């Protein structure tokens, strides 16, 4: 909630999605003004200035909508990476049996890799081609990929691939890596089922709650209107 109020991750999200700050600011202001226009319009039509109290709150809500969209995009991207990484590693294991080294294996699995991981694989291949003779920098390229995925398992896996790159792969190490990925896939499948059930429970009542909220909002507008009209007639 605090993150939404202060937008503390805005800068990193804008950089991550390559969005210009000025464009984001304009979009936020337009959304804020669009929502704030609703109570202003109602105040003019109903001649009830008390409705204008809602304008600042609706403006802030609209102003934060683009940031909420960024958070949703970030969550969607992280989810794809989280569940696609085991597939990427399994493809690597399968192709490593026919390819000569890690670089060639990564290049071979590229057509079978989806974004957002695919773009990072391209970057990894490029980094490896530019760091042919420096072992520490080649390992760093693998770790950068792991940090992009953002999980502890990714660091373990990419560290193993870095070892393969430096020393070559062997069947025993590949078998251990395959077992790790199988456990990871099983865990992610179980977690996905739990998240789906939890999401259904969490969001099942949202349409009802939203309907009740809008009903109370318009009922409040009508109440304030007639209350104002009543006081005006008493004063006359």
């Amino acid at each position: 909630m605090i993150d939404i109020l202060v937008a503390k991750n805005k800068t990193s999200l804008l950089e991550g999605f390559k969005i210009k700050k000025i464009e984001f600011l304009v979009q936020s202001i337009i959304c804020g003004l669009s929502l704030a226009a609703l109570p202003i319009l109602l105040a003019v039509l109903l001649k009830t200035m008390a409705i204008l109290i809602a304008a600042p709150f609706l403006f802030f809500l609209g102003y934060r909508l683009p940031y909420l969209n960024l958070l949703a995009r970030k969550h969607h991207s992280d989810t794809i990476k989280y569940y696609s990484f085991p597939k990427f590693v399994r493809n690597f294991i399968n192709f490593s049996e026919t390819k000569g080294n890690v670089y060639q294996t990564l290049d071979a699995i590229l057509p079978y890799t989806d974004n957002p991981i695919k773009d990072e694989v391209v970057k990894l291949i490029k980094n490896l081609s530019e760091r042919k003779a420096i072992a520490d920098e080649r390992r760093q390229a693998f770790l950068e990929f792991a940090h992009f995925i953002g999980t502890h398992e990714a660091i373990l896996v990419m560290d193993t691939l870095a070892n393969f790159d430096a020393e070559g792969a062997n069947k025993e190490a590949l078998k251990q890596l395959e077992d790790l990925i199988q456990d990871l896939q099983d865990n992610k499948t179980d977690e996905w089922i739990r998240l789906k059930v939890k999401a259904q429970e969490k969001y099942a009542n949202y349409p009802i709650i939203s309907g009740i909220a809008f009903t109370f909002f318009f009922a409040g507008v009508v109440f304030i209107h007639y209350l104002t009209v009543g006081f005006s007639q008493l004063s006359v």
Side-chain angles (χ1 to χ4, degrees), residues 84-85 87-89 91-92 95 105-122 125 145 149:
S84 299
F85 182 67
K87 177 185 176 182
F88 158 76
V89 181
N91 285 338
F92 178 90
F95 276 84
T105 304
L106 290 173
D107 188 58
I109 67 175
L110 190 59
Y112 307 96
T113 307
D114 299 324
N115 277 321
I117 291 182
K118 184 175 184 177
D119 289 341
E120 290 300 313
V121 175
V122 172
I125 293 173
F145 184 93
I149 301 299

Side-chain angles (χ1 to χ4, degrees), residues 77-225:
S77 177
D78 289 345
T79 301
I80 293 177
K81 290 186 293 184
Y82 186 72
Y83 288 102
S84 299
F85 182 67
K87 177 185 176 182
F88 158 76
V89 181
R90 187 168 293 281
N91 285 338
F92 178 90
I93 294 172
N94 293 334
F95 276 84
S96 64
E97 299 177 357
T98 58
K99 299 300 176 180
N101 55 42
V102 171
Y103 179 88
Q104 293 175 346
T105 304
L106 290 173
D107 188 58
I109 67 175
L110 190 59
Y112 307 96
T113 307
D114 299 324
N115 277 321
I117 291 182
K118 184 175 184 177
D119 289 341
E120 290 300 313
V121 175
V122 172
K123 186 186 300 183
L124 175 59
I125 293 173
K126 180 181 178 181
N127 287 336
L128 292 177
S129 65
E130 294 174 349
R131 306 173 183 181
K132 291 181 179 179
I134 307 176
D136 289 342
E137 289 190 1
R138 292 178 70 86
R139 178 174 292 275
Q140 182 60 33
F142 285 98
L143 294 180
E144 288 173 0
F145 184 93
H147 289 307
F148 167 76
I149 301 299
T151 63
H152 176 67
E153 295 86 356
I155 295 176
L156 292 176
V157 170
M158 298 311 294
D159 185 65
T160 301
L161 297 192
N163 292 335
F164 290 169
D165 179 62
E167 304 170 3
N170 58 75
K171 291 184 177 181
E172 182 179 354
L174 284 172
K175 181 63 171 59
Q176 292 176 351
L177 184 60
E178 187 173 8
D179 292 340
L180 173 63
I181 291 303
Q182 184 60 51
D183 292 340
L184 189 60
Q185 280 189 316
D186 292 341
N187 292 337
K188 290 187 185 311
T189 300
D190 294 339
E191 183 176 355
W192 183 81
I193 294 174
R194 291 197 301 270
L195 289 175
K196 291 292 289 184
V197 173
K198 184 177 180 180
Q200 289 176 353
E201 294 175 350
K202 181 178 180 180
Y203 298 112
N205 294 323
Y206 272 26
I208 298 176
I209 295 174
S210 300
I212 294 175
F214 278 110
T215 300
F216 275 108
F217 172 76
F218 285 107
V221 169
V222 173
F223 174 76
I224 293 174
H225 169 66

Side-chain angles (χ1 to χ4, degrees), residues 21-71:
K21 290 185 178 180
I22 186 63
E23 293 178 356
F24 182 78
L25 177 62
V26 171
Q27 183 182 17
S28 299
I29 293 175
I30 291 175
C31 290
L33 292 176
S34 298
L35 283 187
L38 177 61
I40 295 175
L41 180 62
L42 288 175
V44 173
L45 293 176
L46 300 177
K47 298 180 181 181
T48 307
M49 296 300 103
I51 301 177
L52 293 176
I53 297 176
F57 298 100
L58 290 178
F59 175 82
F60 180 77
L61 176 61
Y63 186 81
R64 279 290 178 259
L65 284 179
Y67 181 68
L68 291 174
N69 182 55
L70 284 181
L71 291 177

